[in-house]
Coordinates of all heavy atoms in Angstrom, one line a residue:
S1423 N 105.7 25.3 163.8 CA 106.4 24.5 164.9 C 106.9 25.3 166.0 O 106.8 24.9 167.2 CB 107.6 23.7 164.3 OG 107.1 22.8 163.3
K1424 N 107.4 26.5 165.7 CA 107.9 27.4 166.8 C 106.7 28.1 167.5 O 106.7 28.2 168.7 CB 108.8 28.5 166.2 CG 110.1 27.9 165.6 CD 110.9 29.0 165.0 CE 112.3 28.5 164.5 NZ 113.1 29.5 163.8
L1425 N 105.7 28.6 166.8 CA 104.6 29.3 167.4 C 103.8 28.5 168.3 O 103.3 28.9 169.3 CB 103.8 30.0 166.3 CG 104.4 31.2 165.6 CD1 103.5 31.6 164.4 CD2 104.5 32.4 166.6
F1426 N 103.5 27.3 167.9 CA 102.5 26.5 168.6 C 103.1 25.2 169.2 O 102.3 24.4 169.8 CB 101.4 26.0 167.6 CG 100.7 27.2 167.0 CD1 101.0 27.7 165.7 CD2 99.7 27.9 167.6 CE1 100.4 28.7 165.1 CE2 99.0 29.0 167.1 CZ 99.4 29.4 165.8
N1427 N 104.4 25.1 169.2 CA 105.1 24.0 170.0 C 104.6 22.6 169.5 O 104.2 21.8 170.4 CB 104.9 24.2 171.5 CG 105.9 23.3 172.3 OD1 106.9 22.9 171.7 ND2 105.5 23.0 173.5
I1428 N 104.5 22.4 168.2 CA 104.2 21.1 167.7 C 105.3 20.6 166.7 O 106.0 21.5 166.2 CB 102.8 21.1 167.0 CG1 102.8 22.2 165.9 CG2 101.7 21.3 167.9 CD1 101.5 22.3 165.1
N1429 N 105.4 19.3 166.6 CA 106.5 18.8 165.7 C 106.2 19.2 164.2 O 105.1 19.5 163.9 CB 106.7 17.3 165.9 CG 105.5 16.5 165.5 OD1 104.8 16.7 164.6 ND2 105.3 15.4 166.3
T1430 N 107.2 19.0 163.4 CA 107.1 19.5 162.0 C 106.0 18.6 161.2 O 105.4 19.2 160.3 CB 108.4 19.3 161.3 OG1 109.0 18.0 161.4 CG2 109.4 20.3 161.8
R1431 N 105.9 17.4 161.6 CA 104.9 16.5 160.9 C 103.5 17.0 161.2 O 102.6 17.1 160.3 CB 105.0 15.1 161.3 CG 104.2 14.1 160.4 CD 104.6 12.7 160.6 NE 105.9 12.4 160.0 CZ 105.9 11.8 158.8 NH1 104.8 11.6 158.1 NH2 107.1 11.5 158.3
Y1432 N 103.2 17.4 162.5 CA 101.9 18.0 162.8 C 101.7 19.3 162.1 O 100.6 19.6 161.6 CB 101.8 18.2 164.3 CG 101.4 17.0 165.2 CD1 102.0 16.7 166.4 CD2 100.3 16.2 164.8 CE1 101.6 15.7 167.2 CE2 99.9 15.2 165.5 CZ 100.6 14.9 166.7 OH 100.1 13.8 167.5
S1433 N 102.8 20.1 162.0 CA 102.7 21.4 161.3 C 102.3 21.2 159.8 O 101.5 21.9 159.2 CB 104.0 22.1 161.4 OG 104.4 22.4 162.7
D1434 N 103.0 20.2 159.2 CA 102.7 19.9 157.8 C 101.3 19.4 157.6 O 100.6 19.8 156.6 CB 103.7 18.8 157.3 CG 103.7 18.8 155.8 OD1 103.7 19.8 155.1 OD2 103.8 17.6 155.2
D1435 N 100.8 18.6 158.5 CA 99.4 18.1 158.5 C 98.4 19.3 158.7 O 97.3 19.3 158.1 CB 99.1 17.1 159.5 CG 99.9 15.8 159.2 OD1 100.2 15.5 158.0 OD2 100.2 15.0 160.1
A1436 N 98.7 20.2 159.5 CA 97.9 21.4 159.7 C 97.8 22.2 158.5 O 96.7 22.7 158.1 CB 98.4 22.3 160.9
I1437 N 98.9 22.4 157.8 CA 98.9 23.1 156.5 C 98.1 22.4 155.4 O 97.3 23.0 154.7 CB 100.3 23.3 156.0 CG1 101.1 24.2 157.0 CG2 100.4 24.0 154.6 CD1 102.6 24.3 156.8
F1438 N 98.2 21.1 155.4 CA 97.5 20.2 154.5 C 96.0 20.4 154.7 O 95.2 20.5 153.7 CB 97.9 18.7 154.7 CG 97.0 17.8 153.9 CD1 97.2 17.6 152.5 CD2 96.0 17.0 154.5 CE1 96.5 16.7 151.8 CE2 95.3 16.2 153.8 CZ 95.5 16.0 152.4
L1439 N 95.5 20.4 156.0 CA 94.1 20.6 156.2 C 93.6 21.9 155.8 O 92.5 22.1 155.3 CB 93.8 20.3 157.7 CG 93.7 18.9 158.3 CD1 93.3 18.9 159.7 CD2 92.7 18.1 157.5
A1440 N 94.4 22.9 156.1 CA 94.1 24.3 155.7 C 93.9 24.5 154.2 O 93.0 25.0 153.7 CB 95.1 25.3 156.2
Q1441 N 94.9 23.9 153.5 CA 94.8 23.9 152.0 C 93.6 23.2 151.5 O 92.9 23.6 150.5 CB 96.1 23.4 151.4 CG 96.2 23.5 149.9 CD 96.2 25.0 149.4 OE1 97.1 25.7 149.8 NE2 95.1 25.3 148.7
S1442 N 93.3 22.0 152.1 CA 92.1 21.2 151.7 C 90.8 22.0 151.9 O 89.9 21.9 151.1 CB 92.1 19.9 152.4 OG 93.2 19.1 152.2
T1443 N 90.8 22.8 153.0 CA 89.6 23.6 153.3 C 89.4 24.7 152.3 O 88.3 24.9 151.8 CB 89.7 24.2 154.7 OG1 90.0 23.1 155.7 CG2 88.4 24.9 155.1
I1444 N 90.5 25.3 151.9 CA 90.4 26.4 150.9 C 89.9 25.8 149.6 O 89.1 26.4 148.9 CB 91.8 27.1 150.7 CG1 92.2 27.8 152.0 CG2 91.8 28.0 149.5 CD1 93.6 28.4 152.0
S1445 N 90.5 24.7 149.2 CA 90.1 24.0 147.9 C 88.6 23.6 147.9 O 87.9 23.8 146.9 CB 91.0 22.8 147.6 OG 92.3 23.2 147.6
S1446 N 88.2 23.1 149.1 CA 86.8 22.7 149.2 C 85.8 23.9 149.1 O 84.8 23.8 148.4 CB 86.6 22.0 150.6 OG 85.2 21.7 150.7
C1447 N 86.2 25.1 149.7 CA 85.4 26.3 149.5 C 85.3 26.7 148.1 O 84.2 27.1 147.6 CB 86.0 27.4 150.4 SG 85.7 27.2 152.2
E1448 N 86.4 26.7 147.4 CA 86.5 27.1 146.0 C 85.6 26.2 145.1 O 85.0 26.7 144.2 CB 87.9 27.2 145.5 CG 88.7 28.3 146.2 CD 90.2 28.3 145.8 OE1 90.6 27.2 145.2 OE2 90.9 29.2 146.1
E1449 N 85.6 24.9 145.4 CA 84.8 24.0 144.6 C 83.3 24.2 144.8 O 82.6 24.1 143.8 CB 85.2 22.5 145.0 CG 86.5 22.0 144.5 CD 86.8 20.6 144.9 OE1 85.9 20.0 145.5 OE2 87.9 20.1 144.6
R1450 N 82.9 24.6 146.0 CA 81.5 24.9 146.2 C 81.1 26.3 145.8 O 79.9 26.6 146.0 CB 81.2 24.7 147.7 CG 81.4 23.3 148.2 CD 80.7 23.1 149.6 NE 81.3 24.0 150.6 CZ 82.3 23.7 151.4 NH1 82.9 22.6 151.3 NH2 82.8 24.6 152.3
G1451 N 82.0 27.1 145.4 CA 81.7 28.4 144.9 C 81.6 29.4 146.1 O 81.0 30.5 146.0
Q1452 N 82.2 29.1 147.3 CA 82.1 29.9 148.4 C 83.4 30.8 148.6 O 84.5 30.4 148.0 CB 81.9 29.1 149.7 CG 80.6 28.3 149.7 CD 80.5 27.4 150.9 OE1 81.5 27.2 151.7 NE2 79.3 26.9 151.1
N1453 N 83.3 31.9 149.3 CA 84.4 32.8 149.5 C 85.2 32.2 150.7 O 84.7 32.2 151.8 CB 84.0 34.2 149.8 CG 85.1 35.2 149.8 OD1 86.3 34.8 149.8 ND2 84.8 36.4 149.9
P1454 N 86.5 31.8 150.5 CA 87.3 31.2 151.6 C 87.5 32.2 152.7 O 87.7 31.8 153.9 CB 88.6 30.8 151.0 CG 88.3 30.7 149.5 CD 87.2 31.7 149.2
K1455 N 87.5 33.5 152.4 CA 87.8 34.5 153.4 C 86.6 34.6 154.4 O 86.8 35.2 155.5 CB 88.0 35.9 152.8 CG 89.3 35.9 151.9 CD 89.5 37.3 151.3 CE 90.8 37.3 150.5 NZ 91.1 38.6 149.9
K1456 N 85.4 34.1 154.0 CA 84.3 34.3 154.9 C 84.0 33.0 155.7 O 83.0 32.9 156.4 CB 83.0 34.6 154.1 CG 83.1 36.0 153.4 CD 81.8 36.3 152.7 CE 81.9 37.7 152.1 NZ 80.6 38.0 151.4

């Protein structure tokens, strides 16, 4: 919220999308770091 000037709900949704992307990579057997 401080770094990107967005409200806390947007921040929470951004974290949710990031976590979903990591989980999706792991399910497909891909390296999330790449």
